[in-house]
Amino acid sequence: MNRPWIWTCTLAALVVLALIGVAPGQGKMDQLIAAAKQEGQLTVIALPHDWCGYGAVIDSFKKKYGLKVNELNPDAGSGDEIEAIKANKGNKGPQAPDVIDVGLSFGPSAKKDALLQPYKVATWETIPNDQKDAEGYWYGDYYGVLAFQINADIVKTVPQDWADLLKPEYKNAVALAGDPRTSNQAIQGVLAAGLAMAKGNMDGAADAGLKFFADLNKSGNFVPVIGKVASLAQGATPIIIRWDYNALADRDTLKGNPKVEVVVPKSGVVAGVYVQGISAFAPHPNAAKLWMEHLYSDEGQLGWLKGYCHPIRFQDLVKNKKVPADLLAKLPPADAYAKAVFPTLEQQDKAKQVITKQWDTVVGANVK
Amino acid sequence: MKRNVVVSWLIVLVGVLYFFVPLLGTFEFSLRYRRGVYSFEAYQIVLNDPVFRATFTYSTVLALATIVVGVVLVVPTAYWIQLRLPRLRPVVEFITLLPLVIPAIVLVFGYLRIYSSASVLPLTSTETTTDVLLTFSYVALSLPYMYRAVDTALRAIDVRTLTEAAQSLGASWGTILVRVILPNVRVGVLSGAFLTFAIVIGEFTMASLLDRPAFGPYLQLVGANRAYEPSALAIITFAITWACMGLIQLFARRTAAQLAGAH
Amino acid sequence: MPPARQLSWAWVGVVPFFAFALMFLIIPTSFLAIGGFQDGQGRFTLQNLVDLFQPTILSSYWISIKVSAASAIGGAVIGFLLAYVAIAGGLPRWVRPTLMTFSGVASNFAGVPLAFAFLATLGRTGLVTALLVNLFDFNIYRTGFNLLSFWGLTLTYMYFQIPLMVLIMAPAIDGLRREWREASANLGASAWEYWRYVALPILWPPLLGATLLLFANAFGAIATAYALTGSSLNIVTIMLYAQIRGDVLHNPNLGYALALGMIVITGLSNAGYIWLRGRSERWLR
């Protein structure tokens, strides 16, 4: 008669163990949602609605969890976001950002300045190791590659590669989307051009990029205006070097007026990674954590994909067949991305030093 | 004298050309929303946006508040400096030039540090107190213009004689300032008010970092990612702001007459 | 009233202003001043000030000064002329209030909308450029004109400098009594002599003050320059923003030092203005 009891007890124990094993995962999430709802709102910064489809992502977060989202300065640069955390250290009001979305190099420096708090999302393991901090202070969120955004009504032959831009038919046509002394996008643009010119050699890429733009400027092809969608449409900057997701989003916004082509160059494809982090002084830490869970869930990652950004878990999603075919079709061809180079932090820093310091002298400030 | 009028008209013509042609360029571009035809679609999109109306109203109210605070702060100070403390003039003038060269972003980060919810004067803790903080920061931003305009006006009138005359008639300081000095510097105050209004309507950095629903951040949002709507918005804002200034001018004319004892 | 009492009352009159300045200008700026002398970790250092003397930064100050001076003087001259003809030039009465209100709006029309307006008008694909080519077969760009240059930027800056001048000088021109003009004509003075001996000396202090304001206004401007000639003209405000807010360089302490340099330059020009004004005011007393 002892045997059946032992079996029943073991079975019961196994069932209980199984329940305990399942419950924490679910319970933690529920606890987080409850705590976040009690905080009531999330403060974000530097998230333009047309950047990676953030508008839709924020709306889906609001609808799913019923939290208010307070959007600060969508025009902020990565440096602004860091300054905002620093300036609001003692402030629990709505001016203090809870989460930041900054360029790759700002992750480690923010961690060093004790501005972030660590958090590992549920899907942590599926984030590539070299795109996140091992202790969980910052983690890559999405990437894109630099592409040519072209006003096809003005530019008749579409350039396919960096060398094409030097041709005389593109006089007064080529612009960057920022100032290479201050904008990450512009610096990576110079680097990408250099990578193409230096035939893939990253060490010489920064100098080669500066020389490329010097030539572009000398031949009269370079326009120093900061390229925006308005100047693209107006014709002052018919070719802009931009992140592909911005270029594609602009193409949708313009709705064919004018016609826009987005071309990933054949060589010199540089990818830029942005990283997420939670402020160490966040007034709503649980809302912040819930936001992170949302962003790194399949739903959040696909939301970025809809905005033409490649989410950091892209390979994982593709492997598990989670990406709808029509979404894949709208993106640039996969083989363009196959050649993408992800500069490491050290490579980026070195390139930045070279480019920012020498831009004025090489691209001769054509000042009188 | 007739020759002068021709020259005057010529100068005005050059001015009109210089100021209106770029506006024409913007206007022409804003009509191109639909491919191949001119249409006002960009304008419809902007005007139908409820956020446009809400933020513009908010900024207008704040602008008027800024003007009032600015006038109350600057006119007595400039008057006093002129009358009694001429040696302080360089100091005050230097202070009023500071807002022009200190980046607004530095100022607002300073405010966030000093007036945060953890400090002695927690101005950022509620919406209303943040509005107050924002108004005062706008007064600081418009200080150079308001002060210079009022100061120029004060120097054009004989402050000393006016004051002595009013005092000999038994007027208190308050009466002197409001009923004697203010109507006489009306032109300067009006100039300062116009400049302040325009600044507040378009101001972006402080409003956005202090997280208030002002017009500047709205302009930025539209301008960042759209091609045709920003141009339409620029023209609309220009027109509405011009109209508001016309209203301010009408109001000022009537008030000055009342203050001085209408004649 | 005994002198001592008078002095103490006089100080009371300016207390609100100084309290305001302290709370909303000086104390926030002190963060800037302190930061300029600190390094990234908060230790005291003079390195930032030393860094200011690098050739790129020195040349950026110089370019800023040049652009500000050019647009200030240009704006001052044209603005003064416009204000004068509108107020005392014998024009119909509606011209003056129209000019005043329009100047109010235009004085703040700057940044991206202004840069874009000029691009859309005088840029290579601009409205006027295209019109001139189509109607008169005249391409302004062939004469060497280039909107994206120092002079193009100065031209664009004048769009908000001229209205500012108009508004600031209006009360001063208002103060020029018509009787003085008539009196000088009665005494046999020509228009030129009237200007040289009566009007200009009276207007000179406010003219100087307004020009200084225009200079400081242009000196601190960034948005228009960034949008129009962003990556080619190296003005100090762009350098400053690069350090404080940039995606890249991000040495905020150097940015604060740059701002301190700007404040010093503004202070020097203010001192220069006061000296010039003092000399011209001597005979007015």
Side-chain angles (χ1 to χ4, degrees):
Chain A
M1 265 306 198
N2 284 338
R3 286 248 180 109
W5 273 110
I6 294 175
W7 279 116
T8 324
C9 285
T10 320
L11 205 58
L14 281 172
V15 171
V16 171
L17 274 171
L19 280 173
I20 294 176
V22 169
Q26 200 48 44
K28 221 167 62 141
M29 190 61 174
D30 288 335
Q31 272 181 338
L32 186 61
I33 297 179
K37 284 209 172 127
Q38 229 183 348
E39 285 171 353
Q41 84 166 24
L42 173 76
T43 305
V44 298
I45 186 172
L47 302 183
H49 282 200
D50 285 345
W51 182 285
C52 289
Y54 257 118
V57 172
I58 293 175
D59 284 338
S60 72
F61 179 75
K62 284 201 282 203
K63 223 191 312 203
K64 192 161 177 190
Y65 299 108
L67 291 170
K68 239 182 26 143
V69 175
N70 190 23
E71 301 178 52
L72 299 176
N73 196 0
D75 188 47
S78 298
D80 288 328
E81 301 182 58
I82 302 293
E83 281 304 312
I85 295 185
K86 284 198 201 148
N88 282 292
K89 271 193 198 161
N91 187 20
K92 294 288 172 203
Q95 299 86 8
D98 289 312
V99 293
I100 55 173
D101 181 7
V102 290
L104 181 61
S105 55
F106 285 85
S109 62
K111 174 183 172 186
K112 196 162 62 116
D113 289 339
L115 298 174
L116 302 171
Q117 55 176 294
Y119 182 69
K120 295 191 181 175
V121 291
T123 51
W124 181 256
E125 299 306 322
T126 58
I127 303 176
N129 280 336
D130 51 358
Q131 314 288 9
K132 68 189 181 197
D133 173 59
E135 292 164 356
Y137 280 89
W138 51 267
Y139 16 93
D141 46 18
Y142 52 77
Y143 58 93
V145 298
L146 283 163
F148 303 153
Q149 183 185 32
I150 300 159
N151 181 339
D153 284 341
I154 297 181
V155 176
K156 296 305 171 193
T157 9
V158 172
Q160 297 296 330
D161 200 356
W162 292 98
D164 291 344
L165 294 177
L166 288 167
K167 296 209 189 118
E169 61 202 277
Y170 300 119
K171 256 207 166 50
N172 299 309
V174 185
L176 289 165
D179 181 352
R181 289 162 305 183
T182 72
S183 153
N184 189 36
Q185 198 174 167
I187 293 206
Q188 305 291 0
V190 177
L191 188 64
L195 201 61
M197 296 291 121
K199 309 256 187 283
N201 172 18
M202 185 55 95
D203 283 329
D207 291 304
L210 284 169
K211 181 164 177 316
F212 174 82
F213 275 91
D215 292 338
L216 205 66
N217 191 32
K218 229 185 310 220
S219 62
N221 288 16
F222 181 64
V223 184
V225 176
I226 307 291
K228 281 188 180 321
V229 63
S231 61
L232 179 84
Q234 194 269 336
T237 60
I239 301 179
I240 306 182
I241 298 167
R242 225 150 142 51
W243 293 126
D244 60 341
Y245 46 83
N246 286 334
L248 290 164
D250 286 345
R251 186 190 61 188
D252 289 350
T253 311
L254 288 171
K255 294 200 259 278
N257 178 27
K259 286 209 262 293
V260 173
E261 294 262 351
V262 179
V263 173
V264 178
K266 285 204 179 43
S267 63
V269 184
V270 165
V273 178
Y274 280 79
V275 302
Q276 292 276 338
I278 302 181
S279 162
F281 312 99
H284 317 103
N286 292 306
K289 291 177 184 159
L290 186 60
W291 170 251
M292 291 303 171
E293 291 293 347
H294 181 74
L295 290 178
Y296 286 89
S297 68
D298 290 346
E299 185 189 344
Q301 298 276 296
L302 286 176
W304 278 335
L305 195 57
K306 275 208 206 85
Y308 301 111
C309 287
H310 279 66
I312 205 77
R313 291 178 52 226
F314 184 65
Q315 304 299 344
D316 179 62
L317 287 168
V318 164
K319 205 165 41 138
N320 293 331
K321 308 242 192 317
K322 292 271 183 66
V323 186
D326 54 342
L327 205 50
L328 265 176
K330 284 171 84 171
L331 297 169
D335 42 333
Y337 268 78
K339 286 185 248 128
V341 172
F342 286 78
T344 65
L345 274 166
E346 296 78 35
Q347 287 170 335
Q348 272 194 16
D349 280 337
K350 230 171 39 155
K352 277 184 202 173
Q353 292 296 324
V354 172
I355 295 175
T356 53
K357 287 217 171 37
Q358 295 186 25
W359 177 259
D360 288 321
T361 53
V362 167
V363 182
N366 35 26
V367 188
K368 232 116 0 94
Chain B
M1 273 306 175
K2 238 212 173 141
R3 196 171 12 105
N4 280 349
V5 180
V6 170
V7 170
S8 300
W9 275 116
L10 229 75
I11 295 179
V12 169
L13 190 66
V14 169
V16 166
L17 272 176
Y18 174 75
F19 283 108
F20 274 95
V21 169
L23 289 177
L24 203 67
T26 309
F27 182 66
E28 192 268 342
F29 183 72
S30 69
L31 293 176
R32 288 203 232 153
Y33 189 84
R34 229 181 279 153
R35 191 180 176 75
V37 289
Y38 279 150
S39 73
F40 281 97
E41 190 147 344
Y43 289 88
Q44 284 174 331
I45 295 178
V46 171
L47 288 171
N48 284 335
D49 189 356
V51 184
F52 169 73
R53 265 171 268 148
T55 52
F56 193 81
T57 317
Y58 177 85
S59 283
T60 309
V61 171
L62 230 60
L64 292 173
T66 308
I67 293 175
V68 169
V69 175
V71 170
V72 167
L73 191 69
V74 168
V75 172
T77 308
Y79 169 70
W80 219 242
I81 299 279
Q82 177 114 336
L83 201 61
R84 292 289 172 81
L85 299 167
R87 282 221 225 103
L88 271 186
R89 239 183 119 191
V91 175
V92 171
E93 284 182 345
F94 178 68
I95 291 180
T96 60
L97 284 177
L98 284 180
L100 288 173
V101 286
I102 303 172
I105 201 164
V106 170
L107 279 177
V108 77
F109 279 143
Y111 296 149
L112 285 171
R113 285 185 171 92
I114 308 173
Y115 302 114
S116 73
S117 48
S119 80
V120 175
L121 195 63
L123 284 176
T124 56
S125 42
T126 70
E127 287 195 357
T128 330
T129 48
T130 314
D131 285 338
V132 171
L133 177 62
L134 191 58
T135 309
F136 279 119
S137 15
Y138 283 162
V139 172
L141 275 186
S142 61
L143 200 60
Y145 309 101
M146 184 62 95
Y147 183 83
R148 182 61 61 197
V150 170
D151 184 63
T152 310
L154 272 175
R155 313 212 88 222
I157 63 176
D158 191 348
V159 175
R160 203 168 289 275
T161 314
L162 280 172
T163 311
E164 287 171 4
Q167 276 180 322
S168 70
L169 287 169
S172 68
W173 284 118
T175 317
I176 296 178
L177 270 175
V178 174
R179 296 187 61 184
V180 177
I181 301 295
L182 199 56
N184 276 296
V185 294
R186 188 176 63 88
V187 179
V189 168
L190 213 55
S191 293
F194 288 161
L195 291 165
T196 306
F197 191 84
I199 291 173
V200 172
I201 290 288
E203 203 284 328
F204 165 69
T205 314
M206 294 187 160
S208 115
L209 283 168
L210 285 176
D211 189 41
R212 299 311 294 135
F215 194 58
Y218 171 75
L219 281 172
Q220 186 70 32
L221 208 59
V222 171
N225 300 305
R226 302 256 174 273
Y228 304 101
E229 289 89 316
S231 298
L233 194 52
I235 300 284
I236 294 175
T237 311
F238 211 98
I240 298 187
T241 313
W242 198 354
C244 286
M245 299 215 173
L247 286 173
I248 294 179
Q249 176 149 62
L250 272 170
F251 173 73
R253 201 172 296 167
R254 237 179 276 150
T255 318
Q258 285 172 350
L259 283 173
H263 42 258
Chain C
M1 250 197 251
R5 272 270 211 88
Q6 268 190 339
L7 201 58
S8 67
W9 273 117
W11 280 101
V12 167
V14 289
V15 160
F17 176 81
F18 279 103
F20 174 82
L22 201 70
M23 281 175 66
F24 293 99
L25 274 177
I26 299 180
I27 297 186
T29 315
S30 62
F31 286 117
L32 185 156
I34 296 174
F37 289 101
Q38 285 180 332
D39 66 4
Q41 278 71 45
R43 296 182 296 246
F44 177 81
T45 174
L46 287 173
Q47 184 59 37
N48 297 320
L49 290 186
V50 170
D51 284 340
L52 283 185
F53 289 92
Q54 293 167 32
T56 35
I57 293 189
L58 281 180
S59 77
S60 77
Y61 273 114
W62 182 230
I63 294 177
S64 274
I65 292 176
K66 276 201 286 190
V67 172
S68 308
S71 65
I73 294 175
V77 169
I78 302 180
F80 175 69
L81 279 174
L82 259 179
Y84 188 80
V85 298
I87 297 176
L91 291 174
R93 294 199 47 194
W94 54 265
V95 173
R96 178 182 173 167
T98 318
L99 180 66
M100 292 297 139
T101 46
F102 181 82
S103 297
V105 196
S107 68
N108 209 42
F109 189 60
V112 174
L114 178 65
F116 186 77
F118 270 82
L119 274 175
T121 317
L122 289 172
R124 281 184 199 273
T125 54
L127 187 66
V128 169
T129 318
L131 260 168
L132 287 173
V133 167
N134 286 339
L135 289 180
F136 304 113
D137 203 17
F138 175 61
N139 187 349
I140 51 178
Y141 277 84
R142 238 177 289 153
T143 64
F145 170 76
N146 185 2
L147 182 66
L148 308 175
S149 64
F150 175 88
W151 288 109
L153 187 64
T154 307
L155 184 69
T156 314
Y157 266 24
M158 301 237 276
Y159 202 90
F160 53 82
Q161 296 282 60
I162 294 176
L164 183 58
M165 186 67 173
V166 167
L167 285 171
I168 301 290
M169 284 307 290
I173 298 176
D174 233 8
L176 274 180
R177 311 258 188 282
R178 208 169 350 133
E179 302 85 65
W180 299 346
R181 180 79 197 239
E182 291 166 3
S184 81
N186 273 345
L187 290 169
S190 70
W192 158 245
E193 283 166 335
Y194 165 72
W195 274 101
R196 165 93 170 75
Y197 295 110
V198 183
L200 268 182
I202 293 180
L203 288 175
W204 190 240
L207 264 173
L208 270 183
T211 312
L212 173 68
L213 184 67
L214 261 62
F215 175 80
N217 196 30
F219 200 54
I222 175 182
T224 316
Y226 189 74
L228 194 65
T229 52
S231 31
S232 70
L233 264 183
N234 182 17
I235 62 176
V236 76
T237 32
I238 292 186
M239 297 241 82
L240 209 168
Y241 269 76
Q243 300 297 342
I244 292 185
R245 68 166 299 198
D247 286 337
V248 181
L249 292 168
H250 201 54
N251 179 359
N253 299 89
L254 181 59
Y256 299 142
L258 279 164
L260 276 176
M262 288 176 69
I263 294 179
V264 166
I265 293 181
T266 313
L268 285 173
S269 22
N270 193 35
Y273 149 69
I274 289 172
W275 178 75
L276 274 172
R277 185 188 69 197
R279 292 194 51 187
S280 69
E281 273 179 352
R282 253 187 277 136
W283 69 270
L284 271 177
R285 287 261 160 262

